[in-house]
Amino acid sequence: MTRRSFTTNACPVDGRWMRRKRCSSVFLGYCCSLGFACFLWTLHGIAGIAFGASATRPSSLAISARVSRRSATQKVRTALSAMEGLEAAHASLSNVAALPAGFHDSLSVVVAFADQGQNINGILFQASLPAYILFLYFLSYRKNNTPPLVQFGFAFLLVFVILTIPSGILSKSSFGLILADCDWVHGAAESLLTCTNIMLVLGFRAALMGDTAMVDSFAVRVTSGLWLAVVVATLAAGIPIFGAGAHTPFLSGFGALPSGMVPATEPVNALSIPNWMVHFSTVFEFLIAMSLAWRYAEASGNPKWKGLTWGMLPSHASSVAALTFHVFYNSIPWILTVQAGCTFVGNATLAIATYRIAASNGWTISELNPFGGAETRDEEDSGDAAFDVTRLKTESSTTSDLIPGPLLFAEVLLLTVAASFLTKYGELILAPDLFQSASSASSIAAGLIVVTPPLLVVGTLIAQSKDIQAQLKAPAS
């Protein structure tokens, strides 16, 4: 008996969903290929810098052997050629000195990014990519009944990851700054993460409410593409057309208070209000997506989906670490290492969580065989590949406590604005010296900020988990 996709009655929808699924698969394939190509390009640059000079330098023994076989006449000719070569080299050095500064900056960018790939932060970020690809693979297993917009949202995250590479090159080559210190470039690139999390929230909510139109909305996908186009256009036109500088605020710093209202002066690399709003909205949206994934476990009848919420926890900690780094004006380097470590662990826990979901729905190692059982899989795809809302419990008792969409938007917006203003100006009022230094006291405060929100989330999840509560009460009884 085959299941019908997108049905609330006996009439299935046409093949548009399958065509969109194929488009999403192609899009994911392009993202993965591009990410892998960027990874290989980084390794090529590192290898070229490390071994390029030694690989092209001739052996001293070979030179000695050739010199010993030359005649006196050849030595004279060689000496004359050497003199001419020295004159030409002198002229070439004069020309190199006259090259524009941008050429030298480009060389320094290559060296800087090669060095970044060798430090612990770069190694952890690169090493986390395979785990994320596995996560996407298991998430998209045909029998999981994963909301299509959720799949697309998680895949769209790769676009954000890839775009940070040219964004970092732009800020470094143009201004000599890291990405976090160039507000308008930083804010534009970071907004793609906001776009990703919005799609996660919309996808899970639509599935829980039985909204078959929104759960795989083509309009949302197009909007994400337009969002990406606007970001790329902003990065491309920021300097030549709009004359953006090193510390030009994102969106012109809309909403900033007059400087006279703040008792202390903040550093030039401080985040603008719009940039803080992008960061805080990303955190709040991700927390909402975590809670919706927990509800999806109850609606689908598969408790393994709760593991996805737990698997998202290290990624949330990574976001908190990024916020903390900006709270201290990007002056405490170890926070970046914590963020990279949380990203590495988070991608691994995401892969483990979705593997457990896929395994509970029948995934086996034989699924990796591209040849065996093709006919059987094709028959199963006709019923299980498409999202089926009828497999979910979407009764009023399940969705009654979901916050209405407009109210949820208003709450997130209010929390985002409040957190942005309190962070930007609160630290200037309370303890500007603490937040603008890299002292031991600042590191201790940063550590407390990094661990507190994730611990609060852990406490909330434990309170909501009936299994954990039962285990905690078992010894007492």
Side-chain angles (χ1 to χ4, degrees):
M1 179 178 180
T2 61
R3 297 185 179 93
R4 293 186 170 91
S5 61
F6 284 173
T7 57
T8 52
N9 48 39
C11 298
V13 177
D14 56 21
R16 289 178 296 174
W17 188 92
M18 294 303 296
R19 290 195 296 271
R20 294 175 188 170
K21 183 176 180 63
R22 287 193 292 270
C23 292
S24 299
S25 301
V26 173
F27 171 79
L28 175 58
Y30 281 133
C31 290
C32 297
S33 300
L34 184 55
F36 185 65
C38 293
F39 175 69
L40 292 181
W41 176 83
T42 303
L43 293 181
H44 178 269
I46 296 172
I49 291 173
F51 306 111
S54 60
T56 57
R57 185 182 299 114
S59 171
S60 59
L61 294 177
I63 292 176
S64 300
R66 288 197 297 268
V67 170
S68 64
R69 292 194 298 266
R70 289 173 181 165
S71 63
T73 303
Q74 289 174 324
K75 291 180 180 180
V76 172
R77 290 176 180 175
T78 302
L80 292 175
S81 300
M83 292 297 295
E84 294 174 356
L86 286 175
E87 294 177 357
H90 182 271
S92 299
L93 288 175
S94 300
N95 294 333
V96 170
L99 286 174
F103 177 79
H104 303 287
D105 292 340
S106 299
L107 293 179
S108 65
V109 168
V110 174
V111 176
F113 270 84
D115 178 69
Q116 178 68 17
Q118 299 239 16
N119 65 31
I120 184 62
N121 301 340
I123 291 173
L124 287 173
F125 277 122
Q126 293 175 27
S128 67
L129 181 59
Y132 196 82
I133 301 301
L134 279 177
F135 157 67
L136 293 177
Y137 167 76
F138 288 122
L139 182 71
S140 61
Y141 179 56
R142 62 184 183 276
K143 295 183 179 180
N144 285 346
N145 206 35
T146 305
L149 197 56
V150 172
Q151 294 185 40
F152 184 82
F154 276 119
F156 192 81
L157 178 66
L158 292 175
V159 177
F160 160 73
V161 173
I162 293 171
L163 194 68
T164 56
I165 297 174
S167 299
I169 293 175
L170 175 64
S171 60
K172 184 69 176 179
S173 61
S174 300
F175 310 114
L177 301 174
I178 63 173
L179 178 59
D181 287 338
C182 189
D183 193 74
W184 67 275
V185 179
H186 183 201
E190 190 75 19
S191 70
L192 291 176
L193 191 55
T194 301
C195 180
T196 293
N197 292 348
I198 289 175
M199 287 189 284
L200 299 184
V201 172
L202 291 177
F204 275 125
R205 277 182 57 87
L208 291 172
M209 299 179 67
D211 188 347
T212 57
M214 178 58 71
V215 78
D216 191 24
S217 173
F218 182 72
V220 174
R221 297 176 187 237
V222 171
T223 301
S224 67
L226 294 176
W227 193 319
L228 173 61
V230 171
V231 170
V232 172
T234 301
L235 297 178
I239 297 176
I241 296 179
F242 300 105
H247 299 293
T248 298
F250 179 54
L251 297 182
S252 300
F254 178 79
L257 298 178
S259 57
M261 296 182 62
V262 183
T265 303
E266 61 183 1
V268 293
N269 66 340
L271 267 62
S272 62
I273 286 294
N275 203 348
W276 273 121
M277 291 182 64
V278 166
H279 282 75
F280 275 112
S281 66
T282 297
V283 173
F284 294 144
E285 291 153 5
F286 197 74
L287 287 173
I288 294 173
M290 292 174 64
S291 66
L292 292 175
W294 190 278
R295 292 176 181 271
Y296 195 76
E298 299 172 351
S300 64
N302 187 349
K304 294 296 189 294
W305 278 97
K306 293 182 179 180
L308 179 61
T309 301
W310 286 105
M312 295 168 73
L313 182 61
S315 299
H316 166 66
S318 177
S319 298
V320 174
L323 284 176
T324 307
F325 184 64
H326 302 321
V327 165
F328 289 86
Y329 301 100
N330 312 332
S331 61
I332 303 179
W334 65 261
I335 301 178
L336 286 182
T337 305
V338 172
Q339 181 193 7
C342 290
T343 300
F344 177 81
V345 174
N347 288 354
T349 55
L350 286 174
I352 293 172
T354 49
Y355 162 74
R356 295 177 71 244
I357 296 173
S360 68
N361 289 316
W363 184 91
T364 61
I365 194 67
S366 62
E367 297 285 341
L368 298 177
N369 185 356
F371 304 106
E375 296 81 2
T376 303
R377 282 200 297 270
D378 288 341
E379 293 178 359
E380 292 176 347
D381 285 347
S382 63
D384 292 320
F387 177 77
D388 187 0
V389 72
T390 61
R391 295 169 60 184
L392 303 177
K393 301 175 183 177
T394 57
E395 296 85 0
S396 58
S397 59
T398 307
T399 60
S400 58
D401 53 347
L402 285 177
I403 301 176
L407 180 58
L408 179 63
F409 172 79
E411 289 184 359
V412 172
L413 180 61
L414 180 61
L415 286 173
T416 298
V417 172
S420 300
F421 276 90
L422 288 175
T423 301
K424 182 175 179 64
Y425 299 111
E427 57 183 334
L428 295 177
I429 296 174
L430 295 177
D433 295 335
L434 176 67
F435 292 104
Q436 296 183 24
S437 69
S439 62
S440 299
S442 299
S443 292
I444 294 174
L448 292 175
I449 296 175
V450 168
V451 302
T452 300
L455 288 178
L456 292 176
V457 174
V458 169
T460 302
L461 293 179
I462 291 176
Q464 292 180 352
S465 176
K466 298 179 181 179
D467 296 336
I468 297 179
Q469 290 294 327
Q471 293 177 3
L472 294 177
K473 294 178 180 179
S477 60

